[in-house]
């Protein structure tokens, strides 16, 4: 039995009066249910920790008892620091992959000055004051974060704890990144950011929140970097304030961060160190990223509109017939549903037909199930009792683009199992989730289920206030585990629009549609960079048009160029007017062909980065300050990025540009097109003709690239006296068979560039040296 996937993309719809009336009715019912069944905002009592009364050493740290609160500090093996107030433990947690890691028994609790205490460990020094201030310092004593005593507003009727807030002081020169998908990034300016996953619509520069929010901050400053994660799934806000460096000692104004949550535990993790160590530690806690199959790094295309086998063949022929590589085509959300009989009479046959041409099919699905008795999916879900219920105990019905719908409760193991059993993809290579915030039809600005909706919570119970933000994460888990069961010899490939901390172990992220304006390019890059720093390395924004209109030929080409360097590269077209690549004219088509060819050429390098992300958590796309977080000018760069350690990509994000300024990190960099060398740190001006974007290569880098007859190593000459290197991962491209990692070293010997393969007397690959000697 195939998955019944219904609903249409918003740009293909013109909802009638009946649909709008049902949406208004649903909004009224949502508000009435929430008002009746959620705790009323009664009398609250403000509470702060008060004076410390005792400190008790425990493995990895200790417990601090204050007059009106209790704090536990625990350093885990690997250096991550856990802080839990008022009995909050590290588990249960949707984010942690293997539960709470073991305590670092080498950490010790010692008295500090003024009656306070400190927890001393190899990677962090934690200082707790007598009033509940918690400081995080480097082992050398440099202050990175000062968490002021939290404050609670307890209410007798509260379920899940009262509201609380925590204010923090950061270094005066600190910059904050992360918080999931944020259009304002990559460096987040001062202001408020909501922690509530929201159906995004078309994403523009000022839009917030979006479909994937995370309480994960990466903070970079001259004194060092740290990552902080508040393990709380409730609705909340983060308010950031920029600091200011004064002219002398004592004149700095610290940067500030205030976190306000509507409920749930006050517990958080802090990691200290350079960015690479932060991401490695973070993904040790929350899970290494899923490894995509090799084909998923190629060009993919989504064509929205009425689904039909003939339309799919038309898309594939349109690309391959014009010399445009295509690794996968995505079926619309109307596939397969009740229309499969007439639209896809032989879906397995179509899958095999396209696979012979090197193209995969991807199924796009929503969580909403149309509430239609007699429908196999609805009837089976009703029999299994897997749908969300309202606080009265009735199955919750609400209006979506598919009509009156119900939603599976993915916080239930039974619902996840049921969903997985329905995910028979008939040979499709993977699944792409949309509407998994979860999204319902908007009325009065509301796009979500009632907050009073009841959830299983894997046996713990609860309502939508705590389940909303993890709904997409758990839907991705259901799909990932189902694909593991049904196709154990293939890597599960899942892409979700929504999620939460730890989603990288199940899925990548398709951030959706950005506005078809020049500002949308900067937004797309900000989303991918922010997600990478939150542990989700495989992501991308759609290239093309949509509800926001049709781009100009120049914008489309620059958009395509940017997208081709991002991990997830998907273009969009439509049967109802959104342009395919060849519809911009022959000049754009020829230049687009070169963009696709360069993506294919870089696939060995991208695939190697995918394996690196799997091993270490390092994102493919990295901010230019990745190796030099202490350089404040680099932290402000939002129009360029590192692709791995070897490449610096500077996409064009404004019209009419033929040259652009690029801020370089330290070291020697070569223009990949001309071979000219530049030295950083500093700002250089590079040619940026319409047919390409500036791409620079770090001196000493080894970049594996595909050629017409195989593969070669593109070696860039190191500076005199320096060593260089790189790696290449080779495997079957899918499945779990052992991969081979080839490590290469580059050095100068008597003025010549010499390449050696670690552990082997011969390189075994064709080498092309570029740069000074190229």
């Amino acid at each position: 039995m195939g998955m019944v996937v219904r609903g249409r993309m918003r740009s293909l719809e013109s909802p009638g009066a009946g649909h709008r009336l049902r949406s208004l009715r649903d909004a009224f019912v949502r508000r009435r249910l929430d008002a009746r069944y959620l705790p009323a905002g009664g009398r609250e009592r403000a509470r702060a920790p008060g004076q410390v009364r005792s400190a008790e050493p425990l493995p990895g740290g200790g417990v601090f008892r204050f007059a009106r609160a209790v704090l536990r500090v625990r350093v885990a093996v690997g250096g991550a620091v856990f802080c839990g107030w008022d009995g909050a433990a590290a588990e249960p947690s949707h984010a942690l992959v293997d539960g709470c890691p073991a305590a670092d028994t080498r950490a010790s609790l010692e008295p500090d000055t003024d009656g306070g205490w400190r927890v001393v460990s190899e990677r962090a020094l934690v200082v707790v004051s007598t009033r509940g201030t918690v400081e995080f310092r480097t082992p050398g004593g440099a202050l990175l974060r000062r968490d002021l005593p939290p404050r609670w507003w307890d209410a007798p009727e509260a379920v899940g704890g009262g509201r609380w807030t925590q204010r923090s002081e950061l270094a005066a020169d600190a910059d904050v990144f992360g918080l999931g998908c944020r259009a304002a990034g990559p460096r987040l300016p001062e202001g408020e950011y909501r922690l509530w996953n929201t159906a995004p619509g078309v994403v523009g520069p000022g839009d917030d929140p979006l479909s994937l929010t995370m309480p994960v901050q990466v903070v970079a400053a001259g004194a060092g970097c740290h990552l902080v994660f508040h393990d709380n799934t409730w609705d909340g806000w983060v308010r950031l304030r920029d600091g200011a460096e004064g002219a002398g000692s004592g004149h700095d104004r610290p940067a500030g961060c205030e976190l306000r949550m509507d409920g749930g535990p006050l517990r958080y993790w802090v990691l200290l160190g350079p960015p690479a160590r932060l991401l490695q530690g973070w993904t040790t806690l929350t899970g290494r990223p899923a490894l995509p199959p090799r084909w998923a790094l190629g060009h993919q295309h989504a064509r929205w509109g009425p689904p039909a086998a003939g339309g799919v063949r038309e898309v594939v022929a349109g690309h391959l017939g014009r010399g445009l590589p295509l690794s996968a085509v995505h079926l619309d959300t109307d596939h397969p549903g009740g229309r499969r009989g007439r639209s896809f009479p032989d879906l397995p046959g179509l899958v095999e037909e396209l696979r012979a041409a090197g193209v995969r099919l991807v199924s796009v699905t929503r969580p909403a199930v149309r509430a239609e008795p007699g429908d196999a999916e609805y009837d089976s879900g009703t029999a299994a009792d897997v749908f969300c219920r309202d606080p009265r105990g009735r199955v919750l019905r609400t209006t979506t683009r598919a009509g009156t719908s119900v939603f599976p409760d993915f916080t239930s193991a039974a619902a996840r199992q049921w969903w997985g059993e329905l995910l028979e993809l008939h040979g499709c290579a993977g699944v792409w989730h949309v509407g998994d915030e979860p999204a319902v039809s908007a009325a009065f600005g509301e796009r979500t289920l009632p907050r009073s909706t009841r959830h299983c919570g894997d046996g713990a119970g609860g309502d939508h206030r705590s389940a909303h933000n993890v709904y997409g994460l758990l839907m991705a888990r259901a799909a990932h585990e189902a694909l593991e069961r049904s196709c154990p010899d293939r890597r599960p490939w899942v892409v979700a629009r929504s999620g939460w901390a730890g989603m990288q172990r199940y899925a990548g992220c398709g951030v959706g549609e950005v506005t078809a304006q020049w500002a949308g390019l900067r937004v797309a890059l900000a989303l991918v960079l922010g997600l990478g720093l939150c542990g989700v390395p495989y992501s991308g924004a759609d290239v093309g048009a949509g509800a926001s209109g049709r781009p100009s030929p120049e914008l489309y080409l620059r958009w395509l160029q940017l997208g081709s360097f991002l991990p997830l590269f998907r273009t969009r077209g439509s049967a109802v007017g959104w342009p395919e690549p060849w519809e911009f004219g022959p000049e754009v088509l020829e230049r687009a062909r070169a963009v696709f060819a360069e993506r294919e050429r870089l696939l060995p390098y991208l695939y190697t980065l995918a394996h690196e992300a799997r091993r270490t958590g390092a994102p493919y796309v990295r901010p230019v300050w990745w190796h030099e977080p202490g350089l404040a000018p680099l932290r402000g760069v939002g129009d360029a990025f590192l692709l791995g350690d070897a490449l610096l990509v500077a996409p064009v994000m404004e019209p009419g540009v033929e040259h652009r300024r690029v801020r370089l990190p330290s070291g020697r960099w070569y223009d990949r097109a001309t071979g000219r060398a530049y030295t950083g740190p500093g700002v250089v001006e590079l040619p940026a003709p319409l047919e390409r974007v500036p791409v620079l290569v770090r001196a000493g880098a080894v970049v594996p690239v595909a050629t017409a007859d195989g593969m070669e190593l593109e070696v860039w000459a190191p500076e005199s006296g320096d060593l260089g290197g790189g790696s290449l991962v080779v495997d079957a491209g899918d499945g779990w068979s052992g991969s081979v990692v080839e490590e290469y070293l580059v050095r100068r010997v008597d003025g010549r560039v010499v390449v050696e393969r670690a552990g082997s007397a011969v390189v075994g690959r064709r080498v092309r040296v570029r740069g000074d000697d190229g």
Side-chain angles (χ1 to χ4, degrees):
M1 177 175 57
M3 165 64 76
V4 180
V5 183
R6 295 179 173 84
R8 294 181 179 272
M9 299 303 292
R10 58 189 171 277
S11 54
L12 299 181
E13 280 194 355
S14 297
H19 183 97
R20 289 192 292 270
L21 287 174
R22 287 194 299 271
S23 296
L24 292 171
R25 179 202 62 198
D26 286 350
F28 174 76
V29 171
R30 282 196 292 269
R31 293 184 176 187
R32 188 174 64 178
L33 287 174
D34 289 350
R36 180 176 179 182
Y37 291 98
L38 291 182
R43 188 173 182 179
E44 296 179 320
R45 300 183 302 274
R47 172 168 61 92
Q51 185 74 23
V52 69
R53 291 181 171 174
S54 66
E56 175 188 347
L58 289 176
V63 173
F64 306 88
R65 303 186 188 282
F66 296 83
R68 292 176 292 278
V70 177
L71 167 67
R72 179 170 182 176
V73 176
R74 184 176 187 267
V75 181
V77 172
V81 181
F82 173 77
C83 295
W85 283 94
D86 275 10
E91 299 179 83
S93 170
H94 292 289
L96 303 185
V97 62
D98 291 319
C100 183
D104 182 355
T105 56
R106 299 171 299 171
S108 60
L109 178 64
E110 303 174 359
D112 197 41
T113 58
D114 300 325
W117 299 84
R118 59 183 178 178
V119 178
V120 182
S121 69
E122 180 182 9
R123 293 187 178 178
L125 173 64
V126 185
V127 180
V128 181
S129 79
T130 60
R131 305 295 295 186
T133 295
V134 183
E135 294 181 351
F136 298 89
R137 296 177 176 270
T138 66
L143 177 64
L144 299 184
R145 185 180 194 90
R146 176 184 289 116
D147 291 336
L148 303 179
R151 185 176 294 270
W152 294 264
W153 286 268
D154 297 326
E157 304 87 357
V159 177
R163 297 184 297 118
W164 56 264
T165 184
Q166 184 178 55
R167 293 184 296 119
S168 304
E169 293 179 351
L170 312 173
D173 67 332
D175 291 316
V176 180
F177 303 82
L179 295 180
C181 286
R182 299 292 169 176
R187 175 196 175 276
L188 298 176
E190 63 179 13
E192 286 195 343
Y193 300 89
R194 191 179 178 193
L195 298 170
W196 188 254
N197 293 348
T198 303
V202 179
V203 181
D207 294 340
D208 194 86
L210 302 180
S211 58
L212 204 167
T213 67
M214 292 188 201
V216 180
Q217 302 171 46
V218 174
V219 184
C225 297
H226 70 277
L227 180 150
V228 59
F229 163 56
H230 284 83
D231 196 349
N232 184 312
T233 65
W234 284 58
D235 193 2
W237 295 82
V238 174
R239 176 182 293 157
L240 300 179
R241 186 192 71 240
D242 291 339
E245 295 183 273
S249 176
H251 295 280
D252 288 353
R253 186 190 72 185
C257 171
E258 181 181 1
L259 176 64
R260 294 178 286 139
M261 302 298 292
D262 284 351
L266 174 44
R267 57 180 182 175
Y268 59 105
W269 292 86
V270 179
L271 296 92
L272 279 63
R277 182 190 294 174
L278 293 182
L279 268 295
Q280 185 163 21
W282 171 239
T283 54
T284 298
L285 277 177
T286 61
R288 297 286 192 231
L291 180 65
R294 186 183 179 93
W295 65 262
L297 294 170
H299 166 232
Q300 305 177 51
H301 187 72
R303 187 177 196 247
W304 304 121
V312 172
R313 292 187 177 96
E314 177 186 344
V315 167
V316 174
H319 282 81
L320 301 186
R322 293 173 173 85
L324 303 178
L326 183 65
S327 67
V329 62
H330 294 219
L331 302 176
D332 193 357
T333 51
D334 281 331
H335 152 77
R339 303 173 179 84
R340 183 177 2 122
R342 63 176 180 267
S343 300
F344 296 93
D346 182 17
L347 185 59
L350 178 63
V351 167
E352 290 306 314
E353 174 189 336
L354 297 184
R355 187 179 292 273
V359 179
R360 277 81 173 171
L361 281 181
V362 171
S363 179
V364 181
T365 185
R366 297 176 182 273
V369 175
R370 187 166 182 176
E372 185 177 297
D375 178 273
E377 184 182 56
Y378 174 74
D379 289 347
S380 68
T382 300
D385 190 19
V386 298
F387 297 131
C388 294
R389 293 182 175 271
D390 68 22
R392 301 166 296 186
R394 305 173 187 173
V395 172
L396 179 72
R397 288 170 168 79
T398 188
T399 301
T400 69
R401 294 181 178 88
T404 301
S405 303
V406 293
F407 282 81
D409 180 6
F410 288 114
T411 71
S412 160
R416 295 193 294 270
Q417 178 72 24
W418 168 82
W419 183 265
E421 291 171 356
L422 294 177
L423 274 180
E424 292 183 9
L425 301 178
H426 302 282
C428 290
V431 60
W432 184 293
H433 292 166
V434 296
D436 49 345
E437 290 78 18
V440 302
S441 294
F444 302 122
E446 299 181 57
R447 292 178 178 268
T448 186
L449 302 179
R451 294 180 179 234
S452 56
T453 301
R454 305 304 300 169
H455 287 274
C456 168
D458 283 320
D463 57 40
H464 202 63
R465 293 176 298 171
S466 61
H468 174 83
N469 279 338
V470 295
Y471 190 92
L473 167 75
L474 297 176
M475 181 180 176
R477 174 183 174 182
H480 182 93
E481 292 175 347
L483 294 176
E484 280 186 319
R485 292 191 300 268
S486 62
C487 304
D489 58 338
R490 287 191 350 216
R491 297 174 203 156
W493 187 77
V494 181
V495 172
R497 190 171 74 184
S498 184
W500 201 65
M503 72 169 291
Q504 72 276 356
R505 60 184 184 259
Y506 306 126
C509 180
V511 299
E513 179 188 343
V514 299
T515 179
Q517 307 293 329
W518 285 95
L521 302 186
R522 188 176 290 266
V523 168
L525 178 56
L527 299 177
V528 173
L529 280 167
L531 282 170
L533 291 173
C534 290
V536 184
Y538 182 71
S539 65
D542 287 346
V543 175
S548 58
R550 179 188 180 108
S552 67
E554 181 189 9
L555 172 56
Y556 179 79
L557 188 59
R558 293 304 196 186
W559 200 349
L560 195 68
Q561 290 167 347
L562 168 62
S564 71
F565 286 102
L566 302 182
L568 177 54
F569 179 31
R570 186 174 84 159
T571 55
R572 294 180 75 168
S574 171
V576 293
W578 301 349
E580 304 288 0
W582 50 87
E583 295 179 17
F584 289 95
E587 183 179 357
V588 171
L589 175 61
E590 186 60 30
R591 288 171 172 164
R593 191 176 289 120
V595 172
F596 288 119
E598 182 60 18
R599 174 72 175 207
E600 294 291 306
R601 179 172 165 78
L602 281 176
L603 281 180
Y605 180 63
L606 289 166
Y607 193 59
T608 299
L609 293 180
H611 275 271
E612 181 184 351
R614 175 70 173 178
R615 292 195 312 271
T616 69
Y620 312 23
V621 171
R622 305 165 188 176
V624 295
W625 52 265
W626 179 258
H627 293 289
E628 300 172 285
L631 292 183
L634 289 180
R635 300 199 301 266
V637 174
D639 60 356
F641 58 93
L642 297 177
L643 185 59
D645 278 343
L647 303 183
L648 191 159
V649 183
V652 173
M653 298 184 173
E654 296 176 351
V657 170
E658 296 184 355
H659 292 80
R660 63 150 295 179
R661 292 164 62 84
V662 180
R663 184 173 291 278
L664 299 181
S666 297
R668 188 176 181 86
W669 296 85
Y670 296 101
D671 186 319
R672 195 160 181 251
T674 66
R676 181 178 174 182
Y678 301 89
T679 301
V683 178
V684 297
E685 186 166 302
L686 300 176
L690 187 57
E691 60 267 20
R692 64 178 173 85
V693 299
V695 177
L696 297 108
V697 192
R698 191 187 302 273
V702 177
V703 182
V705 295
T707 62
D709 57 352
M711 190 185 303
E712 72 177 17
L713 304 178
E714 195 177 83
V715 177
W716 293 83
E719 293 189 79
S720 180
D722 286 351
L723 294 176
S727 61
L728 167 66
V729 176
V730 181
D731 62 16
D734 202 349
W736 305 108
S737 58
S739 58
V740 176
V741 181
E742 302 175 7
E743 299 283 354
Y744 299 95
L745 302 176
V746 181
R747 55 194 176 93
R748 284 184 180 270
V749 178
D750 298 329
R752 286 189 312 112
V753 175
V754 176
V755 182
E756 300 171 340
R757 179 172 171 178
S760 177
V762 296
V763 173
R765 299 282 180 187
R766 186 166 63 239
V767 173
R768 185 161 68 107
V769 177
R770 299 195 60 188
D772 289 351
D773 297 347

